[in-house]
Amino acid sequence: AGRDAAERKLRGDDVDLNGLDKEELDEYKRLMEIDFERTAIRPGDPRYQHDVQVEFEEAEEDCGWDESDDYVASDDEEDDDLELPFLP
């Protein structure tokens, strides 16, 4: 019965897995993996398309969170002493 309830809860946008214990979370992950494998489209599948590119319309509303031009560093932020890790 628990598995059926978990499978039903996988459908929807408001699934909150943060409060689950490890066993419950592992069960959700297992069920999500099964669902993913069932619906995955791979080369050789008649529905498979290589390099699909989609044009999106302009957003209906301004989200603002990705507007890097609006960012102004405060006086508290000093990046003169900032040390970046070496990336090969």
Side-chain angles (χ1 to χ4, degrees):
R3 179 180 175 191
D4 293 336
E7 286 178 358
R8 283 193 303 274
K9 288 181 186 176
L10 283 176
R11 306 281 184 238
D13 297 329
D14 59 349
V15 177
D16 182 7
L17 304 178
N18 289 317
L20 300 180
D21 63 29
K22 180 169 177 15
E23 183 178 301
E24 291 173 315
L25 183 59
D26 288 344
E27 178 67 6
Y28 266 94
K29 288 180 177 181
R30 188 183 70 74
L31 292 170
M32 286 189 286
E33 181 67 21
I34 290 170
D35 192 46
F36 173 81
E37 291 298 327
R38 184 178 57 79
T39 59
I41 299 173
R42 295 185 173 85
D45 187 300
R47 300 171 295 161
Y48 177 78
Q49 295 178 337
H50 178 71
D51 195 24
V52 175
Q53 297 183 15
V54 179
E55 292 287 330
F56 292 97
E57 296 178 13
E58 288 291 321
E60 293 180 15
E61 58 186 65
D62 183 25
C63 60
W65 60 266
D66 62 349
E67 300 295 326
S68 60
D69 293 330
D70 294 340
Y71 177 75
V72 177
S74 69
D75 292 337
D76 296 336
E77 293 180 275
E78 293 187 25
D79 55 356
D80 294 337
D81 299 326
L82 182 64
E83 291 185 29
L84 299 175
F86 174 75
L87 301 175

